[in-house]
Amino acid sequence: MATELPTTDIRISADTIRRRKGGTPIVCLTAYTYPIARLLDDHVDLLLVGDSVAMVLHGHKTTLGASLEMMIAHGQAVMRGSAKACVVVDMPAGSYEESAAQAVASARRIVDETGCQAVKLEGGVDMAHQIAAIVAAGIPVMGHIGLLPQSVEKDGGYRIKGRTDENVAALFGDAQAVESAGAFSVVIEGTVETVAADITRRIAIPTIGIGASGDCDGQILVIDDMVGLTVDRVAKFVKEYADLRSVISRAAEHYAAEVRSRTFPGPDHVFSATKRGDDA
Ligand code: KIV
């Protein structure tokens, strides 16, 4: 069990997010670690402990590398580092698809062991049963439709959704199924702009866009993409608000030069035998 969880009375609840449909856009980012959660908490409404952590922090090729244990460990870190944001933890592939009972057991474990406000899972019509069961167990659920990272191997790659009439109809069906199953919000990923905007107008729960539409009720990006830490190619929908790759690379270059030239450590970074009050 997680220890030292912060008090939850000032946290934004899943229900508060639901009630923000059509209002000021909902600001969401992924977070996987304690320091990043601390830095983001003042600025966002919602932190998603996405299963993208498997790729971003653990170097897996797809999100299929995430496990329940991995998600719980990162969920605990993000809860320790935040006090205000609504924290949503992703359900990893293999933890919910089999049955409603499996989905409820996994969601219950995530919430009990992290103290997070909600879970997220991928799928629409095909996962409505699981969403309804988790909601009936008292756990808020965020849906995820459109491009589904857990299905990219099955789909033959990262394919944008909503480009055929058949696919548009399927997306509307998914959005409605997620809403009817009781989800408090839904992520729409990698979907044609006009389709995502139309879904946003037609359903009563907030839509959170990523590679979707500026008309969605909120937006989400992967934190490492947003701050320019991602070393591989980033998707077209990513806007880099900082270039931390260069900052880290320059810092490492500077440090290496100072170590090699014995400039570091200097007098300020070592302890003398006589001076008091300079404990680390
Ligand atoms: O895992 C993740 O980071 C996500 C976002 C892309 C929405 O699901």
Side-chain angles (χ1 to χ4, degrees):
M1 292 285 281
T3 52
E4 297 173 53
L5 293 176
T7 53
T8 55
D9 52 351
I10 61 157
R11 279 211 189 261
I12 298 171
S13 68
D15 200 47
T16 298
I17 299 288
R18 181 206 299 270
R19 285 189 270 108
R20 288 192 41 189
K21 173 78 187 174
T24 307
I26 302 161
V27 181
C28 314
L29 279 169
T30 69
Y32 317 111
T33 63
Y34 170 83
I36 293 292
R38 284 204 50 183
L39 288 171
L40 301 184
D41 193 42
D42 275 348
H43 306 287
V44 301
D45 301 304
L46 186 148
L47 289 172
L48 171 68
V49 186
D51 60 354
S52 51
V53 68
M55 300 170 73
V56 175
L57 292 194
H58 295 266
H60 288 278
K61 284 271 173 273
T62 71
T63 59
L64 298 184
S67 64
L68 208 45
E69 288 67 31
M70 187 189 283
M71 298 314 303
I72 288 169
H74 288 285
Q76 289 170 342
V78 169
M79 284 297 291
R80 287 187 202 108
S82 62
K84 186 204 89 187
C86 177
V87 174
V88 179
V89 176
D90 245 340
M91 300 190 69
S95 73
Y96 62 93
E97 304 90 326
E98 207 174 278
S99 66
Q102 184 205 28
V104 172
S106 301
R108 167 73 50 221
R109 230 192 113 187
I110 291 172
V111 170
D112 285 353
E113 295 185 33
T114 66
C116 70
Q117 279 62 61
V119 296
K120 174 167 86 59
L121 61 84
E122 294 184 10
V125 172
D126 55 337
M127 288 300 139
H129 193 48
Q130 278 84 339
I131 295 173
I134 299 171
V135 172
I139 299 170
V141 177
M142 175 181 245
H144 186 153
I145 62 169
L147 190 161
L148 303 180
Q150 292 177 7
S151 302
V152 288
E153 284 180 357
K154 230 168 25 201
D155 283 1
Y158 290 88
R159 308 222 178 280
I160 299 306
K161 304 294 177 183
R163 287 195 164 138
T164 65
D165 289 349
E166 196 189 353
N167 193 229
V168 170
L171 282 168
F172 280 111
D174 284 339
Q176 270 147 10
V178 166
E179 179 188 13
S180 304
F184 72 94
S185 63
V186 61
V187 168
I188 306 179
E189 179 165 0
T191 295
V192 169
E193 206 260 322
T194 47
V195 178
D198 226 8
I199 291 173
T200 300
R201 278 188 287 276
R202 288 210 219 165
I203 62 174
I205 55 172
T207 58
I208 308 297
I210 175 164
S213 167
D215 284 350
C216 287
D217 298 296
Q219 300 294 327
I220 188 162
L221 284 175
V222 167
I223 181 63
D224 290 57
D225 291 347
M226 196 276 279
V227 297
L229 253 185
T230 301
V231 283
D232 301 320
R233 181 189 156 272
V234 292
K236 169 190 156 91
F237 57 71
V238 171
K239 179 168 176 183
E240 292 188 339
Y241 287 82
D243 179 10
L244 294 195
R245 276 184 307 270
S246 304
V247 172
I248 291 173
S249 170
R250 274 200 303 270
E253 188 182 11
H254 191 179
Y255 168 74
E258 290 203 346
V259 169
R260 290 185 183 119
S261 64
R262 298 195 187 282
T263 317
F264 178 84
D268 290 348
H269 305 108
V270 293
F271 302 98
S272 72
T274 50
K275 199 172 158 202
R276 301 264 173 208
D278 68 346
D279 283 356

